[in-house]
Amino acid sequence: MALTPTAAGRLAAGMAATSSDADLADWLERHAAALLAGNNVTLLPHLPRLLAVDDERRPWLRLVVATTLFARDARDPLPWRMLRDAAAAFRRAGDLVGYGCALYTEGNWSITIGDIPAATRLWEEGRVHLDGHLPAYAHSLANQAWSAYGTGDLVRARTLGEEAVAIAVRHGDARALGTAYTHLSAYEIWLGSFTRASVNLAGADRAFQEITEGVQRYEWPIALVMAGAVEALRGRWPDAHRRMDHAVVAADETGSAWIRGIVHAIRADVSAVATPLRSLADADVAVEALTGVDERWWMSWARVASGRALGAAGHRHAAARTIERVIAEAEVPPVERARHLMLLGEQVVDTDPARARDLITEAIAGFERCGAAYWTGHAWSRLALADGSRAARHWERARAVAPSDPAATYMLRELATLRVSFFTGPAVLVGTTEVRFPTRHALYLLLALAAHAPDGVRAERLGGWLWPDATREVAAHRLKNAVWQVRSHLGAAGGRLYRRGDRLLLDVTGDECDLLALTRRAESLLRGVATEAREVRATIDGLRRPLLDVDGAEWASELGERCAGLAARLATRFPTFAG
């Protein structure tokens, strides 16, 4: 019965510890195909002994020893020489399966040094020769999906990734399944299918949890950090930090510099804006770890993450130089290059907006060619910062092309914080700066939309509220001007005001608007969620406070009546708490 890669790795360590040289060589020769689809680090302590075994007529053994040497030091030329000697021996003997495994292995090594074209060619040629029942076949298919990703064909990458998952399920290979799910999730993230990515990452987690030997589930931390990345893209930072911190601990426990470097590189990139100083430290750890294993692809991620963190810490010039060098030096997949261009544009948007426009426009074209809908929308939202005269059009385009997901909402929210206060002022703040609108109608427009978030208000009704004595046509014209005034004065937060059909909406949360927070707390109390006397009294008192004087405007009167009604219902529901 054929061994799974996990079982082969476990038994190999036992055989090396208890068997004679001849028996060990025979065993490794027989089960090499399974070992090659797993992790050979369990054989590292036995390398001197393995190198002493005569492998002249044992190409499978030579291939196993080569992969173990590569795991020890990817910069050593000896494993490459042994690998190619084994491949040549397989060809001379007519052993096409062995030759396919050799090509599969060389493809894996090529991708670590960033040679995507070579890896693509080797995987495609190798899989032709591999038996569909071999563990390496499923791994090869998952890796071949990376080659499609490397050419910018995200849809084909996803298709191949789904096929690799199906094959791994058929074979009952937990490690291959975890790996395939992890790879598939990466393509879903680039395609903007975040819900599917989350489901696949949960599948990867379950598959890796089935493996008891930690050394055989060394890719598990990558799945964990990617799950954190999805939460971060959706703005759910507490969950994101928890998952990514877990991934870092798990990566350190693997003892693999490669895994440790990748996980720190991803956390550095994802958290660059939220925690720039920690991201700089993460990037340094990643660069050191990846340099040690000659891993060049992920090195570009670590370097770009360092650039982003420098920018977030206020060092925009240094950030731009760092990202520029990566773009000039690193050969990366098209979708990653598009993202690098967008990130560089973000760094120069204040000092050279014309260049920022060119960079981000080029990034948009790159994302569109790859079918990366979310990232296309993300880039449109950043173009709005560099092209203020057409910002409204760019924000509308961003919302139109991005998929329906919390990440699409957060990509606009993260541009700038927005605070709307009804009870102190009223006042509107973007970041720490209070916004002074040129007309009172512009302010009232924003307040009315904030009060009716998240559902918004029909444009015709809004015009009637703000200009009750005007004709419908005049009110519509004035409303259009007022919308422009609000957007232009909100600056980076201007994308929060948008139109959906015949409705205008303001994207503002309860954490950002005191009135929303108060009315939602009142509704929660009425549902019986909490019944502390102090909370009830504070809520009733808040609802009874004077709201704002808008010259008897209908919308403001309705708002006052709503607050008074909520206060009365609370007093009726909790008479002993009302005071």
Side-chain angles (χ1 to χ4, degrees):
M1 181 178 176
L3 294 176
T4 66
T6 302
R10 181 177 63 250
L11 292 173
M15 288 294 297
T18 61
S19 302
S20 66
D21 288 353
D23 288 344
L24 175 60
D26 288 341
W27 191 92
L28 292 176
E29 185 82 3
R30 286 197 310 274
H31 299 291
L35 282 167
L36 293 169
N39 186 359
N40 288 358
V41 296
T42 54
L43 292 174
L44 281 172
H46 309 283
L47 257 179
R49 184 180 168 199
L50 292 172
L51 287 167
V53 173
D54 181 12
D55 62 359
E56 186 63 33
R57 288 181 293 276
R58 295 177 183 271
W60 283 104
L61 175 61
R62 183 173 297 187
L63 194 52
V64 169
V65 176
T67 58
T68 308
L69 279 168
F70 187 84
R72 185 184 67 178
D73 185 358
R75 294 169 296 181
D76 185 351
L78 178 57
W80 291 89
R81 189 163 61 248
M82 293 179 69
L83 167 67
R84 285 161 183 161
D85 287 347
F90 285 130
R91 290 201 71 171
R92 286 195 302 271
D95 186 346
L96 294 181
V97 172
Y99 182 60
C101 281
L103 294 175
Y104 157 75
T105 301
E106 188 173 355
N108 293 348
W109 297 2
S110 297
I111 203 68
T112 68
I113 62 173
D115 194 344
I116 298 170
T120 300
R121 175 180 54 78
L122 289 160
W123 284 330
E124 289 178 350
E125 185 181 353
R127 197 161 66 91
V128 170
H129 303 302
L130 289 175
D131 186 331
H133 297 287
L134 284 175
Y137 184 88
H139 286 274
S140 179
L141 187 62
N143 288 343
Q144 194 172 340
W146 275 115
S147 67
Y149 167 79
T151 64
D153 193 345
L154 298 179
V155 174
R156 175 164 169 74
R158 177 168 62 187
T159 300
L160 289 170
E162 290 169 342
E163 188 179 343
V165 167
I167 291 173
V169 170
R170 260 195 330 267
H171 289 177
D173 186 341
R175 181 174 176 273
L177 182 59
T179 300
Y181 268 136
T182 303
H183 291 190
L184 177 58
S185 300
Y187 315 136
E188 299 291 11
I189 289 171
W190 280 113
L191 286 164
S193 302
F194 298 108
T195 299
R196 291 174 65 172
S198 294
V199 170
N200 291 330
L201 288 167
D205 187 49
R206 288 193 300 272
F208 286 127
Q209 294 281 14
E210 292 179 16
I211 303 171
T212 56
E213 299 87 350
V215 72
Q216 292 296 342
R217 61 177 185 183
Y218 70 100
E219 291 154 315
W220 178 47
I222 299 178
L224 294 175
V225 77
M226 286 173 58
V230 171
E231 295 304 306
L233 286 168
R234 288 172 159 175
R236 299 167 182 169
W237 282 104
D239 280 346
H241 288 311
R242 177 178 56 81
R243 291 172 186 264
M244 290 189 290
D245 291 348
H246 184 192
V248 167
V249 172
D252 290 342
E253 291 174 350
T254 66
S256 166
W258 185 66
I259 295 296
R260 186 166 182 257
I262 291 173
V263 167
H264 277 277
I266 294 175
R267 187 173 74 164
D269 180 75
V270 170
S271 305
V273 175
T275 55
L277 295 182
R278 190 184 71 174
S279 286
L280 285 169
D282 273 334
D284 288 343
V285 171
V287 167
E288 181 180 359
L290 296 170
T291 299
V293 295
D294 201 25
E295 163 63 71
R296 301 174 198 173
W297 185 348
W298 284 103
M299 180 74 78
S300 68
W301 276 84
R303 292 169 63 195
V304 168
S306 180
R308 294 190 71 201
L310 284 169
H315 308 292
R316 291 293 186 92
H317 185 62
R321 285 204 317 270
T322 301
I323 299 173
E324 279 175 330
R325 283 197 293 268
V326 175
I327 293 172
E329 299 168 8
E331 184 178 344
V332 298
V335 72
E336 292 181 23
R337 184 177 188 278
R339 184 170 179 267
H340 295 348
L341 291 169
M342 177 184 73
L343 296 176
L344 177 57
E346 290 180 8
Q347 302 306 324
V348 302
V349 69
D350 294 327
T351 57
D352 193 346
R355 186 184 179 209
R357 286 195 297 271
D358 291 343
L359 287 165
I360 298 172
T361 300
E362 186 179 351
I364 289 170
F367 286 136
E368 288 177 339
R369 284 193 296 270
C370 296
Y374 163 80
W375 296 97
T376 302
H378 196 101
W380 277 110
S381 71
R382 272 52 185 172
L383 185 59
L385 303 182
D387 188 12
S389 64
R390 292 182 289 184
R393 186 183 310 171
H394 299 326
W395 277 317
E396 287 173 5
R397 185 65 178 160
R399 289 186 180 276
V401 301
S404 178
D405 189 273
T409 300
Y410 183 68
M411 74 181 183
L412 291 170
R413 286 182 184 170
E414 70 174 338
L415 291 174
T417 59
L418 177 64
R419 295 284 184 273
V420 181
S421 174
F422 282 78
F423 298 110
T424 55
V428 178
L429 280 79
V430 173
T432 58
T433 303
E434 184 171 356
V435 180
R436 300 291 185 182
F437 293 103
T439 66
R440 59 188 177 89
H441 285 98
L443 172 63
Y444 295 162
L445 166 63
L446 184 139
L447 293 174
L449 291 175
H452 290 82
D455 299 324
V457 183
R458 288 179 56 247
E460 185 176 334
R461 187 182 187 197
L462 194 56
W465 279 349
L466 295 174
W467 298 278
D469 298 327
T471 65
R472 182 183 303 177
E473 291 75 16
V474 170
H477 178 72
R478 291 175 178 174
L479 180 63
K480 183 178 179 180
N481 289 337
V483 167
W484 179 85
Q485 290 174 345
V486 171
R487 278 177 170 161
S488 60
H489 281 74
L490 288 181
R496 300 285 200 100
L497 173 57
Y498 63 104
R499 182 183 290 270
R500 182 189 297 154
D502 66 345
R503 304 182 77 82
L504 281 169
L505 303 93
L506 183 71
D507 174 24
V508 63
T509 68
D511 293 334
E512 299 171 318
C513 175
D514 57 0
L515 177 65
L516 283 182
L518 184 64
T519 56
R520 288 174 183 175
R521 186 163 69 246
E523 290 162 354
S524 176
L525 289 169
L526 289 168
R527 290 194 298 269
V529 175
T531 55
E532 290 187 9
R534 184 171 54 185
E535 184 179 12
V536 173
R537 281 197 296 270
T539 304
I540 292 174
D541 290 344
L543 290 167
R544 287 173 173 170
R545 275 186 293 172
L547 199 55
L548 68 163
D549 182 11
V550 192
D551 302 330
E554 180 185 351
W555 69 272
S557 299
E558 286 185 6
L559 207 52
E561 291 169 5
R562 182 187 175 202
C563 289
L566 283 170
R569 289 171 62 195
L570 283 172
T572 302
R573 175 74 183 275
F574 306 104
T576 59
F577 296 164

